Amino acid sequence: MKLTKASRLYGEVTLPGDKSISQRALLFAALANGTSTISGLSNADDVNSMASCLRQLGVQIKSEGGKIIVEGVGLYGLRQPKVELDCGNSGTTMRLLAGVLAGQPFSSVLVGDASLSRRPMRRIIDPLVAMGAKIEASKAETAPLKIAGRQLQGISYELPVASAQVKSAVLLAGLFADGETTVIEPVETRDHTEIMLNAMGMDVWKEIDTIHVSRGQLKAGNLLVPGDISAASFFIVAGLIVPESQITIKNVGINPTRSYLLGLLQRNGAVIKIANERKSNGEPVADLEIKSSVVNGFTVKGREIPLLIDEIPILAILATQSAGTTLFRNAKELRVKESDRIEAVAENLRKMGVVVTTYEDGLEITGKQELKGAMIETYHDHRIAMAFAVAALVAEGETILEDANLATVSFPDFYKNIKSISA
Ligand code: S3P
């Protein structure tokens, strides 16, 4: 795909439903007793991967009048799949499903695409095995994962990595375990699992940094999925860096464990109006209005990182257009996302003529630097593709994005939105 400089961005962006919340909505509705209706579900590839795995496990999911209807089978109603469960590119699908499958009275196999098959799975294998599951992985401790479900025992588990996927896998396994399961989370991560389980009638509670869960039943109901703030972040940055822009994004999920970038950007000069704050199924939601702004460089490290982990590639693009130095540290997790995002960002920025310093756990960029159009390699990573599509909007000359359509992994209408606000 060829992209060139935009003179101005103006209008409204339509977001997909939040990917993390969509995947949880499908999975939890499947495990509930009764029929659930999901509004606002994302139609991204990762969410479709979760839906297709659940169908293989015997769950009926259908679309009706713009809503998704899930016939919950209850915690013990899943059926042994006849085929391997293909999680595609989705780490959330694989890790959350592993937590559920660990407690089933049958065996199953989770597989993924080339990128997912390289990502670390030891982080979920260790706690699930400690709860009594039997899991075989490749020599490199990656997928395929062969899971022999067992009767699980509750544990107390301190997360060695700040990961909502690992936390969720253990909490979900806890629904099938004897006794209480607690997860100690030294660094806070996104809490959509806890919020949705509570909204569905479970008693999941947090005391300081410890989350408690035990057996129970999930009640079916109407689940609402807000717009995806991680998808919005590409348009927030585009609106800030393309001159004379004004962009509106409605119904954005602003859960504090996901929306750290908003305050950070505002504190550093970004004109972002947050209006009409409300709650939807326990999740905070608002409308955003973004205007072109001069943003100052900033430092993000430590406990801040999990609160904007998926936004770092696009914030690195912002950094090239910011005044002064932007520094990301303690973000080693970026190396095990859909690609090694530290190298993917740095390599592509260098192709665009930018000076970047990389660290084992981060990136440093001093702005403002001119971007030159280049051949961008997406490394099969949707967020790299979208970040550099935004970079192209402020670059001199033509940018060619290989594999641009990868955006469908999280944001199927990404380019349609770019087109409509560039017109
Ligand atoms: C996700 C958690 C994050 C995030 C991913 C989605 C989730 O991963 O990067 O895109 O839905 O729980 P980790 O929890 O592994 O950091």
Side-chain angles (χ1 to χ4, degrees):
M1 181 180 291
K2 281 185 193 158
L3 291 154
T4 51
K5 202 165 182 168
S7 49
R8 175 183 192 219
L9 302 175
Y10 185 84
E12 191 174 327
V13 166
T14 312
L15 289 183
D18 187 276
K19 178 161 78 76
S20 290
I21 299 177
S22 291
Q23 291 176 298
R24 287 162 172 80
L26 284 171
L27 176 59
F28 301 174
L31 297 175
N33 293 316
T35 306
S36 293
T37 305
I38 311 176
S39 308
L41 193 83
S42 162
N43 62 341
D45 297 349
D46 274 6
V47 178
N48 292 331
S49 294
M50 176 65 90
S52 73
C53 290
L54 291 170
R55 287 195 179 101
Q56 296 295 348
L57 288 160
V59 180
Q60 281 182 40
I61 302 170
K62 60 180 188 223
S63 170
E64 223 174 76
K67 294 186 177 170
I68 302 297
I69 316 287
V70 181
E71 299 298 342
V73 295
L75 285 174
Y76 293 97
L78 296 175
R79 157 190 100 190
Q80 175 156 29
K82 295 196 177 74
V83 294
E84 293 178 338
L85 298 171
D86 187 355
C87 304
N89 192 241
S90 175
T92 303
T93 298
M94 184 169 284
R95 295 191 177 120
L96 270 58
L97 273 179
V100 170
L101 294 171
Q104 301 302 314
F106 55 75
S107 297
S108 49
V109 182
L110 293 169
V111 297
D113 70 4
S115 153
L116 183 53
S117 303
R118 281 192 295 269
R119 297 180 64 185
M121 291 298 151
R122 168 113 195 218
R123 51 183 64 194
I124 53 160
I125 296 172
D126 282 348
L128 296 175
V129 165
M131 294 176 84
K134 199 168 159 251
I135 305 183
E136 268 176 49
S138 78
K139 268 209 189 85
E141 298 178 319
T142 56
L145 299 180
K146 289 186 192 148
I147 303 181
R150 294 276 191 273
Q151 178 52 53
L152 304 178
Q153 310 301 321
I155 52 167
S156 175
Y157 189 68
E158 179 163 345
L159 293 176
V161 274
S163 164
Q165 293 179 354
V166 178
K167 169 176 68 176
S168 300
V170 179
L171 292 176
L172 286 167
L175 299 179
F176 300 91
D178 291 332
E180 192 185 50
T181 296
T182 56
V183 178
I184 301 152
E185 183 178 51
V187 178
E188 190 177 33
T189 66
R190 63 189 67 189
D191 59 358
H192 306 304
T193 295
E194 298 90 304
I195 290 177
M196 195 175 289
L197 287 177
N198 276 317
M200 296 178 81
M202 292 288 310
D203 187 21
V204 180
W205 49 283
K206 187 166 181 177
E207 193 185 23
I208 312 172
D209 59 359
T210 305
I211 305 148
H212 302 249
V213 70
S214 25
R215 273 182 200 287
Q217 279 195 348
L218 288 169
K219 283 198 211 89
N222 292 326
L223 304 173
L224 307 170
V225 181
D228 194 324
I229 190 162
S230 299
S233 69
F234 297 99
F235 288 94
I236 294 172
V237 169
L240 293 173
I241 64 179
V242 174
E244 290 174 63
S245 297
Q246 185 173 334
I247 296 179
T248 311
I249 318 177
K250 292 197 174 136
N251 187 33
V252 187
I254 55 157
N255 178 316
T257 62
R258 296 285 299 286
S259 60
Y260 189 74
L261 84 156
L262 297 179
L264 174 74
L265 294 174
Q266 285 174 326
R267 286 195 294 283
N268 288 286
V271 180
I272 301 176
K273 200 167 121 195
I274 306 173
N276 199 10
E277 285 187 49
R278 55 208 187 265
K279 276 216 170 170
S280 167
N281 258 176
E283 289 280 355
V285 175
D287 301 334
L288 306 180
E289 196 182 288
I290 300 100
K291 288 187 179 161
S292 315
S293 316
V294 177
V295 180
N296 296 316
F298 47 76
T299 295
V300 191
K301 56 182 178 15
R303 305 175 72 85
E304 299 165 299
I305 293 293
L307 309 178
L308 45 63
I309 186 76
D310 290 342
E311 287 71 70
I312 293 176
I314 187 63
L315 290 174
I317 304 300
L318 172 69
T320 68
Q321 304 305 298
S322 296
T325 298
T326 299
L327 174 66
F328 300 98
R329 293 304 297 264
N330 313 118
K332 207 169 162 200
E333 274 296 299
L334 289 176
R335 295 201 180 270
V336 292
K337 293 294 179 186
E338 287 83 328
S339 69
D340 175 341
R341 288 184 174 156
I342 293 177
E343 292 309 322
V345 166
E347 281 304 308
N348 283 318
L349 280 179
R350 285 177 187 135
K351 286 186 187 165
M352 297 186 100
V354 173
V355 179
V356 190
T357 306
T358 58
Y359 300 95
E360 185 49 28
D361 67 347
L363 286 160
E364 181 173 333
I365 299 161
T366 299
K368 181 178 180 174
Q369 299 190 47
E370 296 289 315
L371 300 185
K372 291 195 290 278
M375 273 284 261
I376 298 299
E377 196 178 326
T378 56
Y379 298 90
H380 304 291
D381 184 334
H382 56 127
R383 296 196 204 279
I384 298 299
M386 292 188 281
F388 283 88
V390 172
L393 301 179
V394 294
E396 285 307 326
E398 200 173 73
T399 295
I400 299 175
L401 267 186
E402 290 188 327
D403 253 358
N405 287 333
L406 275 173
T408 57
V409 164
S410 61
F411 197 163
D413 290 335
F414 176 75
Y415 297 104
K416 210 163 130 190
N417 274 292
I418 296 246
K419 213 167 155 191
S420 86
I421 58 169
S422 315

